[in-house]
Amino acid sequence: MSDSFEMDVALPEGGRRMPVYLLLDCSESMAGTGIEAVRHGVELFERETKGDQFARQTVHVGVIIFADDAQLLDGGLVPIDEFHAPALAAAGVTSLGKALTLLNQSLDRDVRTPGQGSQKGDWKPLVFILTDGFPTDDWQTQRGAVLDRQERKTINVITVGCGTVLDRDRLKAIAIGPSFVLDESRDKEGAFIQFFRWMTQTVTNMARAASLPGAKDDAAVNLPKPPSVLQFNL
Amino acid sequence: MSGTDQSTYCAGMAFGDTAIRHVDAHLDWRAGHARHESYGVVGASAIGHLHLRNTSRRDDAFAVRGLGRWLAVAVADGDGSRPQSRIGACYCAEALSEGLINVAAHLRATPTGAESRGGHADPSDDSGADTTIPPRDRGRLGSGPPGVDANTGEFATAEYIPVSLAERTAPPPEANDSIGLVGWNRIAYQQGHPGSGSPSPGQAATAATRDLGQAVRQAFTATRAGLEAFIHSRRQHLQDVPCTLLGLVMDTTTGEFACGQIGDGAITALHWDGTPHLLLTPPSPGGTGEVYVITQSDWGDRLAVSAAKAAEAARIATLFLMTDGVAEDAIYGPPVDQFRRWSQSIDRELRASHQLAATAIRLLRFLATYEVPGSWDDRTLVAVLANRTVHPEELPPTGASIPTPEPTSSRAGPADADNP
C-alpha cells in the first residue's frame, strides 16, 4: 500500500526543443553602426528569451554568420541557457549560399524528428535571415532547398533586409517566407533593437503556441505586429 | 430509496466531464474513479501550465461509462488555438462514451464462447442477447444505434433509462467505494448481482470482435453527427470546436475490446509481462502542431480503429487512454525506453492502493504538477486496470506470458502492487 501522496513515475529526461536559427550578414555593408546594432540586438534576444518562463525551457539557438565565408557558431544548436551572444565583426562579401548550405546541413543533422531513437521530435524550426540583400555567391540552389522545406511546412523562415546596399527586388528573389525591410533611415541602432525585440517576441510566442495541440504553425499567421521600422517587402 | 436487498447493486456508472449545455461548468481539474465488474477505472484531467498562466480554460475532457458488462472510455483534446474548443471536447467525450455503450449493447452475442478463443461469431445467429442487461431494460434499448440524435445532438439514452432513480436500491456496503461519483447524466442503471445475471467469462456471450470494431465506428459517426447538431443548436460552427477524440469499449466479461482514435494522443496497453504496446497509430498530417480533428469534413478517413480478441486482451494488465499532453511525456524519451519506464511506473503507482478514490486524487495531483521542459499542455489520463484473474478458456495457445490465475471475486479491486 502506498502512504505517499506523490506518484513516482518515470519522466523523460528532456523536452521538445524549439530550434531558432539566426543567419546574420556580417559583410562589409554592415560595418560600423550596423554590426554593432546587430550585436546589441542578439544580446537583447539572449536576455529576453532567457527571461521568458516558457521559451527558456525549449529554445535552442543556432547562429550562422556569413561574409567571405560562413560559420555555424558552436557547431550546432545551443540551449538558450547556455547561449552567449557572439562578438561580431563586419568585413568581406555576402556568401549567402554558403550560409544556406550550413543551414540545410544543420537542419538535417541537428533537428530531431519524432521517433528517432524513440525521442520527441523538435518543434518546427524558426529561421531568421538578416541580410543586405546582395549575395555574392551561388545562393539559388541552396535557397531552393530551404524553400522546399518551407513549402513542406517543416520550417518557418522570415527574411529581413537591411543595410545601405539593399536591393528590394533582389530581396524579393532571395526571400523565403515573409520578408521585411528594416528602415534604418532615422535611427539605425534603434531600428535594429526594435527588430530584435520583435524577433524575440515572435520566438517566445511560437515557443508557447507550439506546445498547444492544433496550434497553427504558419509563422505568417502567428507573427506579432511588426514595429513601424519593419516594413513588409511587398 | 426503496428496497434493501444487499445483493442488488447499481451496475451502471458514469464519471468525468459532461457536455457544456447551459452553464459552462467545465472545471480546471477533474478526477474520478469506479469499479466496474472486475475492472478498476481511474481518470484525471488537469489544466496545463500555459493555460493557467494565460487564464484560459482546460480544453481536455474525458468521460467513463459502465453498463452491465460494457465499459466505455473517451478522451478528447480541444484545439488550443480555438477558445471554444472545450465545448467540442466535452460534448464528444460524453457523447462517444455514451454512444459506445449504446451501440455495444445492441451487439449480437455468441453463446458458445468460441469467439473468446479467436473464432468468429456467426452473424446469422441471433440467439444471443445481452444477458447482463435485465430483460425489461433490453426492450427499452430502442431499435438500434446511434447513441446520439443526429437532429438535436441530444443523447438518445434516455430511452433506456429503465426506471427512475427513486426505484433503485442502494449499493451494498462492500461496494460503497465502487464509484467516485462526479455527476450522473442520463446514464442507464441496471439491476442484477454477481453470480446470477452475469455469466462467467468462459460462459459469456461474447460480442464478435469485428462487431465491436464496427461499434466503435458507429459510435464515432453518431458522435460526429450529434456534435454537428449540438453546435448548430448553439449557433456556433464546427470550426469553432475542433478536437481530437479517442475512445474504447470493452466487454468486461471477456476483456475483449475495441478502440478508435482521430488525432493525437494515445491508447496504449501494458501487458502482464511488463511490455507496453501502442494500440493505434492513427494518420497524422506530419507537420509539427498540425493535428486531425473530428470536426473536419474528411474525419472518417482519419479515424483509426483496432479491436482485440479475448485471448489478446487476457495478456493486458492495464489500458491507458491519454491526450497528447500526457502521451508526449509517456512515449517519447530520452531515454529510449521511456515508454516502458513510464508504463510500468504509472501502473505500479495506480495499483499501489486498493482505494481508488485515493488513487484518483494522487493521479490528478501528479498530472497537475509534474514538470518536463516544454510540457505545458492540458493532461488527461484514464486507466482501465484489469484484475489479475485469468480464465483458462481465455488463455492463448502458448500462454507463456500469462500469469497463473489467482482466486478473486468478480468485483475485486486492482491487484496488489507487491505482486504485479
Side-chain angles (χ1 to χ4, degrees):
Chain A
M1 302 286 280
S2 172
D3 295 326
S4 171
F5 202 59
E6 303 289 341
M7 280 192 167
D8 181 15
V9 177
L11 295 173
E13 292 165 2
R16 268 190 159 174
R17 309 181 309 172
M18 163 65 82
V20 176
Y21 286 94
L22 307 181
L23 274 64
L24 304 177
D25 187 338
C26 296
S27 64
E28 182 65 35
S29 66
M30 300 291 288
T33 314
I35 200 69
E36 275 301 297
V38 171
R39 188 174 63 80
H40 290 151
V42 176
E43 288 171 350
L44 180 143
F45 165 75
E46 174 195 341
R47 192 168 55 247
E48 296 200 353
T49 306
K50 284 179 176 174
D52 184 274
Q53 175 188 350
F54 296 101
R56 189 176 61 230
Q57 295 182 27
T58 56
V59 170
H60 284 57
V61 186
V63 176
I64 297 173
I65 56 174
F66 57 101
D68 287 340
D69 205 348
Q71 182 184 2
L72 174 60
L73 302 181
D74 298 314
L77 292 166
V78 178
I80 187 67
D81 270 348
E82 299 170 18
F83 174 73
H84 299 289
L88 300 172
V93 294
T94 307
S95 300
L96 178 63
K98 291 179 180 175
L100 295 177
T101 300
L102 291 179
L103 173 66
N104 280 315
Q105 290 172 349
S106 179
L107 288 169
D108 288 336
R109 183 187 61 236
D110 301 327
V111 176
R112 299 171 183 161
T113 55
Q116 283 180 350
S118 299
Q119 68 186 6
K120 291 184 183 184
D122 286 334
W123 301 117
K124 192 182 294 188
L126 191 52
V127 180
F128 291 91
I129 302 174
L130 184 65
T131 178
D132 65 7
F134 206 83
T136 53
D137 62 351
D138 174 20
W139 51 273
Q140 287 91 342
T141 305
Q142 291 299 325
R143 187 245 183 207
V146 177
L147 182 63
D148 181 56
R149 295 176 192 271
Q150 170 93 357
E151 289 177 345
R152 284 188 286 115
K153 297 184 177 180
T154 59
I155 59 173
N156 284 305
V157 184
I158 297 167
T159 311
V160 177
C162 60
T164 53
V165 299
L166 176 67
D167 179 338
R168 282 178 175 251
D169 289 334
R170 180 68 67 89
L171 184 66
K172 282 180 191 172
I174 296 169
I176 302 161
S179 75
F180 299 89
V181 172
L182 191 63
D183 178 6
E184 311 157 54
S185 59
R186 276 176 276 188
D187 177 7
K188 196 178 192 76
E189 171 100 14
F192 275 97
I193 292 298
Q194 286 190 57
F195 159 67
F196 276 98
R197 182 161 282 130
W198 173 82
M199 187 190 81
T200 304
Q201 192 182 349
T202 303
V203 169
T204 53
N205 284 358
M206 293 286 278
R208 295 177 195 188
S211 76
L212 296 174
K216 302 297 181 189
D217 258 0
D218 185 346
V221 174
N222 285 331
L223 288 178
K225 184 183 178 186
S228 59
V229 296
L230 210 52
Q231 302 159 355
F232 274 104
N233 188 35
L234 300 173
Chain B
M1 290 195 178
S2 64
T4 56
D5 182 358
Q6 292 294 291
S7 66
T8 302
Y9 66 96
C10 151
M13 63 86 177
F15 69 87
D17 295 300
T18 55
I20 298 168
R21 290 185 175 81
H22 306 296
V23 178
D24 187 348
H26 192 51
L27 304 175
D28 288 337
W29 294 275
R30 172 82 83 180
H33 66 278
R35 292 190 196 280
H36 189 68
E37 301 300 327
S38 59
Y39 289 83
V41 189
V42 181
S45 182
I47 186 173
H49 296 185
L50 195 55
H51 285 170
L52 277 176
R53 174 161 158 168
N54 296 344
T55 64
S56 52
R57 307 287 298 275
R58 176 169 63 100
D59 291 330
D60 277 7
F62 75 97
V64 180
R65 291 281 192 276
L67 175 67
R69 73 182 201 236
W70 300 108
L71 172 65
V73 180
V75 301
D77 182 357
D79 184 330
S81 67
R82 304 287 179 159
Q84 300 288 309
S85 64
R86 69 184 178 283
I87 293 172
C90 289
Y91 178 89
C92 285
E94 184 174 27
L96 182 63
S97 65
E98 192 76 37
L100 287 168
I101 288 284
N102 203 357
V103 178
H106 286 85
L107 289 174
R108 296 292 186 193
T110 57
T112 63
E115 184 68 15
S116 68
R117 291 187 292 274
H120 289 288
D122 177 0
S124 65
D125 181 2
D126 62 353
S127 62
D130 192 337
T131 56
T132 66
I133 299 178
R136 68 171 180 169
D137 292 351
R138 281 180 226 147
R140 299 177 186 233
L141 281 166
S143 57
V148 180
D149 188 317
N151 294 318
T152 65
E154 289 298 324
F155 301 104
T157 50
E159 67 183 19
Y160 74 87
I161 295 178
V163 287
S164 72
L165 265 175
E167 295 178 63
R168 293 295 157 208
T169 57
E174 66 271 19
N176 279 345
D177 69 341
S178 65
I179 179 167
L181 189 59
V182 174
W184 294 86
N185 190 22
R186 305 188 198 189
I187 184 66
Y189 275 42
Q190 74 150 85
Q191 285 182 310
H193 56 84
S196 62
S198 303
S200 70
Q203 301 165 328
T206 306
T209 304
R210 62 178 181 278
D211 288 345
L212 214 48
Q214 186 60 26
V216 169
R217 290 189 181 279
Q218 282 184 276
F220 268 83
T221 302
T223 299
R224 174 57 162 73
L227 176 65
E228 200 165 340
F230 179 71
I231 292 303
H232 181 72
S233 72
R234 293 176 58 96
R235 298 181 179 174
Q236 290 180 298
H237 302 286
L238 277 179
Q239 57 264 37
D240 296 331
V241 294
C243 63
T244 67
L245 187 58
L246 302 83
L248 176 144
V249 63
M250 171 188 281
D251 182 340
T252 58
T253 60
T254 64
E256 191 177 23
F257 67 88
C259 51
Q261 177 176 351
I262 179 167
D264 56 17
I267 303 177
T268 72
L270 178 67
H271 282 197
W272 288 111
D273 65 7
T275 56
H277 297 267
L278 198 59
L279 296 180
L280 283 171
T281 308
S284 168
T288 300
E290 297 174 57
V291 64
Y292 289 133
V293 288
I294 186 83
T295 49
Q296 62 193 68
S297 57
D298 61 347
W299 69 273
D301 297 333
R302 314 305 183 189
L303 174 66
V305 174
S306 176
K309 295 176 181 174
E312 181 183 345
R315 292 189 170 92
I316 295 172
T318 307
L319 289 161
F320 298 103
L321 288 88
M322 63 194 91
T323 56
D324 71 325
V326 177
E328 291 283 337
D329 300 327
I331 296 173
Y332 298 109
V336 292
D337 62 344
Q338 171 60 16
F339 187 23
R340 181 187 60 78
R341 294 169 70 245
W342 181 89
S343 299
Q344 292 180 355
S345 58
I346 190 83
D347 186 63
R348 182 194 64 233
E349 292 292 340
L350 292 173
R351 293 171 185 272
S353 168
H354 285 291
Q355 296 182 336
L356 286 181
T359 302
I361 296 303
R362 290 177 73 227
L363 176 61
L364 179 59
R365 179 183 168 88
F366 167 68
L367 295 177
T369 59
Y370 81 75
E371 293 189 3
V372 170
S375 174
W376 313 311
D377 198 3
D378 297 341
R379 296 167 178 158
T380 299
L381 176 66
V382 179
V384 179
L385 302 153
N387 204 331
R388 297 192 70 245
T389 300
V390 178
H391 296 271
E393 63 270 29
E394 292 178 347
L395 285 171
T398 60
S401 63
I402 306 299
T404 304
E406 292 181 349
T408 180
S409 76
S410 63
R411 296 181 62 77
D416 193 316
D418 296 333
N419 192 15

